[in-house]
Amino acid sequence: MSEMVTQRRKKILIADDSEMNRDLLAAILEDEYDIVQANDGVKAVDYLQKHAEELSLVLLDLVMPQMDGFEVLAYMNKEHWIDYIPVIIISAEDSPAYIKRGYDLGVTDFIGKPFDGNMVRRRSANAILLGAKQRRMTRIVTDQIYEREKISKLMVSILSHIVEFRNGESGLHVLHIQVITDMLLRHLVQKEQNPYAISKEQIGLISTASALHDIGKITIPDEILNKPGRLTAEEFAVMKGHSMAGANMLDQLPFEQKEEPLVKTAYEICRWHHERYDGGGYPDGLKEDEIPISAQAVSLADVYDALTSERCYKAAYSHEKAIEMILAGQCGAFNPLLLECLLDISGALKREMSLKSHSHRYDGTNMVNIANRFHDFELESSEKIVQQLEYERQSLAFLAENSDNIIFTYTASPPILNMNKAGTKRSGITEPILSPLSNDALGGLIEKGSLNRLTKKIREATREMPHVVSDIRFLDGRTPERYRCDCKVIWASEENNEYTGVVGKLTDIDADYSVVSDAKDIAIKHGRSAAFSNFYDRFKAQGFTVSGEEAWVLLQYLQITFDLVRYVNPITRKMIHVEKDGRIWETEFDCYAVWNCKEGCSNCISASCVRTKERKMKIEAADNEAFQVVSMYVEIEGKPCCLELVVKIDDTFVPQGYSKEEILSSVRIHKENMYLDRVTGIYNKFYYTEKLCRMEAVAAVAMADIKDFKRINENFGHQTGDDVLRRVAGVIHDAVGENGDALRYSGDNFVMVFSDISNDKFEEILEDIRKNVESLVFMELPGVKLELNVSGVCRPGKVDELLDQVRI
């Protein structure tokens, strides 16, 4: 079979809102090319998202509904499709401004309307040929660059492996340093306060160069390098020479080699990876950002791996102990921002190191073969990868279209929602939806509350927990009405903090809800005795005032549905009991004891219900169980009380799509966070009002505020101001420690309450707080030194009275 027969035909996408124009262009080109059409920009982008690798050319109109041609080009640039798919604009809009804007966005050619068939064929062929040549050149250059990088990395790996072997270290040490450095820097560039302009390429360069950080150890005598005991001062001086020795090796390379970015970066790391942020390192005593960020990152990675690895002179520390030692300053001073990064990635780092430790890098396999196999997979097999992606796409499309469930995909940029055949049939939406959350397409179809819950869960999903389940309800009156949405949130890469899309399915759960509805009907039917019916009719007309007999009937009826029903008065701390004959009697009652609490809730809904005569509801947690509690005001024989209705939330009945675990977690978080200040993380004024101010006998009270804090907010912004508050709060909290409580009272005012402390200790703590706050350094506040006003009273007394004295 000839090459002409076996070669796959090129595919062209025609995007134009005019059906006549699309048909004309298709008629001109369909003999030589496969044609696909899109009648607006949304469908064009949707097709590109699914089939970009198949296209050889896009013929694009500029004026289209929903999304015009320029918006399509913007997305093609954002997703880098324009890099390998040529675009020809075919439009009647031929003003110089339009043409210039098109070329600025990367179009290959511009054809005005009306167009000539021969011109369209020739220019299309030229654009496709040019695109093919560009792709071939890109592949050739990429291969050459890869081969060069492969050889460089191979030599770096061999050299670093030799150093490790001679040093008696694990063959994993260099791999660990590269991984940790990479993780630290990738997280660093995501920090809002990050002052370092580091690109993705530079991170890769630093990670590769980090393998050479200890090459200078080749010059260290074996008896010192591998000494199992503590080094003498003289031996340590020799050992410290390895950093300069490594730098000198690289500096003595031929000029054209040492000017390479990899060698320059390796020089920085070799020479300065033992410098410390406070200037206490070697060989040059550099401090803070005099030390290149490459060396700072490798330094922290090296210390962490040294602590968690076994050496001839020490056992390995646990991950948690290593982090604790580094943060406590036991291993020298490090960049505070890098320490934040280390703490942020702690969980991921522990998992990564565990994986690396169980897959030894040097297993006797020839490293050249490994590199070649990676090269084959990454570059030479690109067509196989495309084929595999196409296979996966077609498999998903087949399964989705033949599923009875509603299958949907959502891309975040551009925001487009697609549904399978079952979805379009049920919803009536037959086309891809642009910006589905901001137009009326879903607003009139899905109940707003359930849609908001679903989108909230999607926004709160993480890479570690991407699975989302939530119930939604359709409002169009058709069945099924209720669905369970089971979906997965997808991220494109580690560098991007935002999700790129969602894929999921909707499963009919109408039957589940009908079971609950039927159960309620049975309970109502069972409870509708003659006595209850008479009471219920009067209750609807007159309100919730009942006789003792009616109260008993109501109790029996409600016990069919609820797990616990009772009449209580939390204000008088009484439970009201009623007998069938209407007799009423009371017992002592502590509501909080039922919920395993030590004292009553400050927001007790039953007490509020009795006071306000209004219905209240909340979620309560006890013994790893969640309960829905409803409090309703009742007068039994004229005696005010509260009717409490409690139902246990379990997996058989989940309100509005929330699982029992989600409800429990929410309640616990609320209880934990109720007394916490959102900005600083320490206690808030509510904690002072509810817990501290009523304390009768404490030893001391102090107050602190930041001098001219208002100017910081005005000159540097509230985000910087919040960072200052967090750091100051941390100093105060750490200084107070177990001696008492520290809280943010308001603005930049902090209060400290000490339950038991001597006057000397009290003064010492206040002075430490003042000094430590004034020594804080903020890169975002150049030239600004914090000053803290601190005052206090150290004598026994009531908290609010002592605080009033401090204010004076």
Side-chain angles (χ1 to χ4, degrees):
M1 188 176 292
S2 68
E3 180 181 348
M4 195 63 125
V5 176
T6 59
Q7 186 176 9
R8 189 172 62 180
R9 280 163 53 106
K10 307 294 185 184
K11 184 176 290 187
I12 298 176
L13 169 64
I14 301 173
D16 195 315
D17 62 328
S18 167
E19 184 177 2
M20 182 178 69
N21 285 340
R22 295 198 308 273
D23 289 344
L24 282 172
L25 289 169
I28 293 169
L29 299 168
E30 62 187 2
D31 288 343
E32 300 177 55
Y33 307 101
D34 289 336
I35 305 297
V36 289
Q37 298 184 23
N39 61 7
D40 61 43
V42 174
K43 294 187 184 66
V45 172
D46 184 54
Y47 189 88
L48 282 161
Q49 286 178 326
K50 298 172 182 176
H51 307 282
E53 70 282 350
E54 301 173 11
L55 291 175
S56 298
L57 177 65
V58 174
L59 301 180
L60 182 65
D61 187 20
L62 288 180
V63 182
M64 293 183 290
Q66 294 197 75
M67 184 186 292
D68 64 28
F70 290 127
E71 291 176 286
V72 173
L73 286 169
Y75 278 115
M76 290 188 71
N77 277 271
K78 183 177 180 180
E79 301 298 329
H80 301 288
W81 299 325
I82 199 76
D83 295 343
Y84 58 93
I85 304 174
V87 178
I88 297 177
I89 291 178
I90 299 184
S91 175
E93 298 289 344
D94 57 356
S95 69
Y98 273 65
I99 295 174
K100 180 181 183 301
R101 186 179 175 190
Y103 281 121
D104 288 343
L105 287 169
V107 301
T108 303
D109 203 349
F110 192 103
I111 298 175
K113 293 180 182 177
F115 45 77
D116 175 74
N118 288 328
M119 179 175 61
V120 169
R121 274 193 294 270
R122 172 53 60 192
R123 291 195 178 182
S124 295
N126 288 344
I128 291 173
L129 181 62
L130 182 63
K133 287 182 177 179
Q134 184 176 343
R135 283 193 291 273
R136 280 198 300 273
M137 288 300 298
T138 300
R139 190 178 300 113
I140 291 170
V141 172
T142 302
D143 283 350
Q144 291 175 345
I145 293 173
Y146 183 85
E147 288 298 324
R148 183 179 175 184
E149 288 186 351
K150 181 183 71 175
I151 293 170
S152 297
K153 289 183 178 181
L154 180 61
M155 296 307 298
V156 167
S157 296
I158 293 171
L159 181 56
S160 58
H161 182 48
I162 291 170
V163 174
E164 288 181 13
F165 180 79
R166 183 170 180 271
N167 194 25
E169 293 178 341
S170 163
L172 287 170
H173 177 61
V174 164
L175 179 60
H176 285 177
I177 297 299
Q178 290 179 314
V179 170
I180 301 166
T181 300
D182 185 82
M183 292 178 71
L184 283 170
L185 293 177
R186 286 180 187 275
H187 195 75
L188 175 65
V189 298
Q190 296 174 16
K191 288 277 189 182
E192 291 183 4
Q193 315 94 323
N194 165 44
Y196 307 103
I198 311 174
S199 67
K200 179 180 177 182
E201 290 71 22
Q202 287 173 310
I203 292 175
L205 192 68
I206 294 170
S207 300
T208 300
S210 70
L212 298 173
H213 69 287
D214 272 343
I215 57 170
K217 286 185 177 179
I218 293 175
T219 67
I220 306 299
D222 285 345
E223 60 272 16
I224 295 177
L225 189 63
N226 295 314
K227 183 178 179 179
R230 188 179 183 87
L231 297 178
T232 66
E234 293 77 12
E235 290 170 337
F236 186 58
V238 174
M239 178 65 83
K240 289 198 298 184
H242 80 276
S243 57
M244 277 304 303
N248 289 335
M249 288 180 193
L250 296 172
D251 193 48
Q252 291 167 12
L253 290 171
F255 178 79
E256 66 275 6
Q257 293 178 8
K258 68 181 183 181
E259 287 300 304
E260 288 287 330
L262 177 65
V263 177
K264 286 184 174 181
T265 305
Y267 176 90
E268 293 177 350
I269 293 170
C270 282
R271 179 162 182 165
W272 293 309
H273 74 281
H274 281 292
E275 300 287 358
R276 291 294 177 259
Y277 201 70
D278 60 357
Y282 62 87
D284 299 314
L286 302 183
K287 64 180 180 179
E288 298 183 0
D289 283 331
E290 294 174 350
I291 312 167
I293 189 61
S294 58
Q296 292 189 51
V298 172
S299 174
L300 184 54
D302 192 28
V303 167
Y304 170 85
D305 190 59
L307 289 172
T308 55
S309 302
E310 185 177 350
R311 296 285 190 265
C312 61
Y313 52 86
K314 61 171 277 294
Y317 291 105
S318 68
H319 165 82
E320 291 75 16
K321 182 64 176 176
I323 296 291
E324 178 187 334
M325 292 171 69
I326 292 171
L327 295 179
Q330 297 180 32
C331 308
F334 295 95
N335 187 329
L337 200 54
L338 282 176
L339 291 179
E340 283 185 27
C341 293
L342 180 66
L343 194 58
D344 291 344
I345 67 171
S346 176
L349 178 59
K350 183 178 180 180
R351 290 190 298 272
E352 188 69 22
M353 290 301 98
S354 176
L355 291 172
K356 298 299 181 190
S357 298
H358 288 86
S359 55
H360 202 282
R361 186 185 184 195
Y362 305 106
D363 58 358
T365 306
N366 184 280
M367 285 191 288
V368 175
N369 290 337
I370 292 176
N372 284 333
R373 280 158 52 195
F374 272 112
H375 182 251
D376 290 344
F377 178 78
E378 292 176 357
L379 297 174
E380 294 174 358
S381 299
S382 58
E383 289 191 8
K384 292 181 180 179
I385 295 172
V386 171
Q387 291 172 6
Q388 181 66 23
L389 289 173
E390 178 63 13
Y391 170 79
E392 297 291 345
R393 186 192 65 77
Q394 290 190 21
S395 299
L396 175 62
F398 174 80
L399 294 173
E401 288 308 310
N402 289 277
S403 173
D404 293 331
N405 295 320
I406 298 175
I407 309 295
F408 71 90
T409 58
Y410 172 77
T411 57
S413 179
I416 295 179
L417 176 68
N418 274 284
M419 287 184 280
N420 68 338
K421 189 185 299 181
T424 58
K425 181 179 179 181
R426 173 62 185 82
S427 67
I429 299 173
T430 58
E431 302 288 350
I433 309 175
L434 178 67
S435 303
L437 299 178
S438 58
N439 62 31
D440 295 332
L442 297 182
L445 181 66
I446 299 176
E447 189 265 324
K448 184 177 180 180
S450 61
L451 182 61
N452 288 344
R453 280 187 290 275
L454 173 61
T455 55
K456 181 175 183 289
K457 290 183 180 182
I458 289 173
R459 287 194 300 269
E460 293 174 349
T462 63
R463 287 187 181 86
E464 293 74 24
M465 300 183 66
H467 190 206
V468 169
V469 178
S470 192
D471 289 358
I472 64 171
R473 184 165 71 91
F474 279 64
L475 298 176
D476 57 2
R478 298 170 55 198
T479 57
E481 176 186 355
R482 296 183 182 273
Y483 289 85
R484 177 146 298 155
C485 179
D486 192 335
C487 57
K488 182 176 182 180
V489 184
I490 299 169
W491 282 263
S493 65
E494 290 291 334
E495 292 82 13
N496 193 344
N497 270 337
E498 298 181 354
Y499 70 90
T500 58
V502 183
V503 59
K505 67 176 180 179
L506 304 183
T507 307
D508 172 18
I509 55 171
D510 259 4
D512 296 341
Y513 274 85
S514 67
V515 170
V516 176
S517 179
D518 292 345
K520 288 182 179 178
D521 291 341
I522 293 170
I524 291 172
K525 184 178 180 181
H526 180 76
R528 285 296 177 92
S529 64
F532 179 77
S533 294
N534 292 333
F535 155 72
Y536 188 70
D537 291 340
R538 186 165 59 80
F539 161 65
K540 287 192 296 182
Q542 300 178 8
F544 222 152
T545 300
V546 298
S547 67
E549 291 181 356
E550 289 170 335
W552 181 84
V553 172
L554 181 63
L555 204 63
Q556 310 313 305
Y557 165 69
L558 293 172
Q559 283 174 344
I560 298 171
T561 305
F562 292 90
D563 295 310
L564 176 64
V565 184
R566 61 194 178 198
Y567 296 107
V568 299
N569 189 331
I571 297 174
T572 61
R573 297 175 65 177
K574 301 289 186 181
M575 178 178 288
I576 295 89
H577 305 269
V578 292
E579 302 292 347
K580 187 174 182 179
D581 59 4
R583 184 169 60 92
I584 303 172
W585 51 286
E586 298 178 346
T587 58
E588 293 293 327
F589 170 72
D590 284 329
C591 173
Y592 53 84
V594 178
W595 306 109
N596 295 329
C597 297
K598 295 181 180 179
E599 57 184 19
C601 301
S602 61
N603 63 337
C604 175
I605 64 168
S606 295
S608 175
C609 174
V610 174
R611 291 191 188 99
T612 64
K613 299 181 175 58
E614 295 177 350
R615 182 177 182 271
K616 305 286 183 180
M617 184 179 71
K618 71 173 180 178
I619 302 295
E620 188 58 81
D623 296 330
N624 206 33
E625 297 291 349
F627 301 88
Q628 182 182 16
V629 184
V630 178
S631 297
M632 302 177 69
Y633 179 74
V634 186
E635 291 183 6
I636 306 176
E637 303 288 357
K639 190 178 186 66
C641 64
C642 169
L643 171 63
E644 280 191 350
L645 310 171
V646 182
V647 61
K648 184 178 179 181
I649 298 172
D650 56 27
D651 294 330
T652 62
F653 176 69
V654 179
Q656 300 298 342
Y658 285 95
S659 69
K660 169 187 163 184
E661 289 72 22
E662 288 173 319
I663 293 172
L664 274 172
S665 175
S666 178
V667 173
R668 292 190 186 112
I669 290 171
H670 174 73
K671 286 181 175 292
E672 291 170 0
N673 291 343
M674 186 169 58
Y675 294 130
L676 295 181
D677 179 60
R678 293 184 178 180
V679 174
T680 63
I682 65 174
Y683 289 132
N684 56 20
K685 187 175 181 179
F686 187 54
Y687 178 81
Y688 174 84
T689 304
E690 291 286 311
K691 299 290 185 181
L692 296 183
C693 71
R694 297 193 299 267
M695 293 175 66
E696 293 290 339
V698 295
V701 171
M703 197 167 190
D705 64 88
I706 304 168
K707 186 176 180 181
D708 294 330
F709 178 72
K710 184 179 179 182
R711 292 178 59 190
I712 293 176
N713 272 336
E714 292 174 349
N715 296 333
F716 299 95
H718 288 279
Q719 185 172 346
T720 299
D722 287 350
D723 186 44
V724 170
L725 289 174
R726 274 191 292 273
R727 297 276 298 279
V728 171
V731 170
I732 295 173
H733 177 269
D734 292 345
V736 172
E738 297 180 356
N739 296 295
D741 291 312
L743 61 98
R744 182 188 178 199
Y745 190 78
S746 65
D748 63 318
N749 294 309
F750 298 89
V751 169
M752 294 150 274
V753 177
F754 300 86
S755 54
D756 183 19
I757 194 170
S758 68
N759 186 69
D760 290 344
K761 182 67 174 177
F762 178 68
E763 294 294 339
E764 179 187 339
I765 288 176
L766 296 192
E767 185 59 27
D768 284 345
I769 290 173
R770 185 184 295 105
K771 288 181 178 178
N772 290 338
V773 166
E774 293 180 356
S775 66
L776 290 174
V777 176
F778 295 87
M779 294 181 183
E780 59 270 44
L781 297 175
V784 176
K785 182 180 180 181
L786 294 187
E787 293 184 40
L788 194 72
N789 301 316
V790 187
S791 57
V793 175
C794 185
R795 68 170 182 79
K798 190 177 178 181
V799 171
D800 53 359
E801 294 175 356
L802 293 178
L803 187 60
D804 286 340
Q805 293 183 32
V806 174
R807 288 196 185 102
I808 295 172

